[in-house]
């Protein structure tokens, strides 16, 4: 009877955290210095910044709408001071402004997700893994690291 057993084994860190992109975009900038496999990072360190032109456009459009509505409300309030009759558009305009500001908060939250940060203190690991026979495997539709300079844009 042999005292040894041979079997393939895969060792993974027990407390590894994966970094996922929550908002679509393309890599605009990488952190400086660029974190590389084996580098230490602290929780909150910026790893990359993504850009989403569609989201930026929506934020600009909404910002303009909010500013125009604020001006409209100011004009209504100024006219009410001159007249004793209340303007019936004021409550609806204020309600719309509150709704648009809530929407802007959601857009800002989405925009903040374009900054990819380290979820905790640790070491950057490779996205590469190997199968039983040692052959390298990569992500199905893409190969490499998003932290590589070639991934920008």
């Amino acid at each position: 009877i042999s005292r040894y057993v041979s079997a393939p084994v895969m060792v993974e860190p027990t407390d590894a955290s994966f970094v996922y992109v929550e908002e679509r975009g393309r890599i605009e900038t990488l952190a400086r210095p660029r974190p590389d496999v084996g580098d230490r990072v602290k929780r909150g360190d910026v790893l990359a910044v993504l850009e989403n032109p569609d989201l930026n456009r929506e934020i600009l459009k909404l910002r303009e709408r909010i500013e125009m509505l604020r001006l409209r409300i100011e004009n209504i309030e100024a006219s009410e001071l001159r007249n004793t009759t209340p303007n019936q558009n004021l409550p609806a305009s204020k309600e719309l402004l509150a709704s648009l500001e809530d929407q802007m908060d959601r857009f800002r939250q989405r925009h903040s997700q374009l900054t990819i940060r380290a979820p905790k203190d640790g070491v950057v690991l490779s996205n590469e893994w190997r199968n039983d026979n040692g052959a390298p495997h990569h992500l199905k539709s893409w190969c490499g690291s998003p932290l590589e300079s070639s991934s920008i844009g």
Side-chain angles (χ1 to χ4, degrees):
I1 292 183
S2 173
R3 290 191 225 172
Y4 301 100
V5 175
S6 295
V9 127
M10 184 171 176
V11 178
E12 291 183 349
T14 57
D15 61 347
S17 290
F18 297 93
V19 178
Y20 298 99
V21 176
E22 296 179 33
E23 184 65 39
R24 69 184 174 91
R26 62 181 170 82
I27 296 177
E28 179 183 292
T29 57
L30 295 173
R32 295 286 174 234
R34 179 175 62 89
D36 205 355
V37 173
D39 286 352
R40 292 203 157 279
V41 292
K42 297 269 187 213
R43 180 181 183 185
D45 283 354
V46 174
L47 304 175
V49 178
L50 305 179
E51 178 167 312
N52 181 331
D54 295 334
L55 180 59
N56 291 342
R57 245 186 321 280
E58 290 298 318
I59 289 172
L60 283 174
K61 280 196 266 184
L62 187 57
R63 192 175 291 150
E64 288 173 5
R65 257 185 98 186
I66 288 172
E67 190 55 38
M68 289 178 64
L69 189 55
R70 282 186 180 144
L71 289 172
R72 181 176 179 203
I73 289 171
E74 284 178 25
N75 289 336
I76 292 171
E77 289 173 337
S79 71
E80 279 187 348
L81 290 175
R82 292 188 299 269
N83 303 330
T84 56
T85 55
N87 188 317
Q88 296 188 351
N89 291 328
L90 185 59
S93 295
K94 285 186 174 182
E95 191 175 311
L96 178 58
L97 178 61
S99 173
L100 293 177
E101 287 174 338
D102 286 345
Q103 188 177 356
M104 180 60 87
D105 288 342
R106 288 190 299 276
F107 277 151
R108 284 188 182 123
Q109 175 64 31
R110 288 178 57 197
H111 193 270
S112 74
Q113 293 173 343
L114 293 173
T115 301
I116 310 302
R117 298 181 180 276
K120 63 182 180 179
D121 294 357
V123 177
V124 177
L125 300 175
S126 172
N127 64 338
E128 183 179 316
W129 60 277
R130 297 181 179 276
N131 69 8
D132 298 357
N133 64 8
H137 288 272
H138 299 279
L139 297 175
K140 192 173 187 176
S141 62
W142 173 74
C143 178
S145 169
L147 301 176
E148 293 172 358
S149 301
S150 62
S151 297
I152 296 176

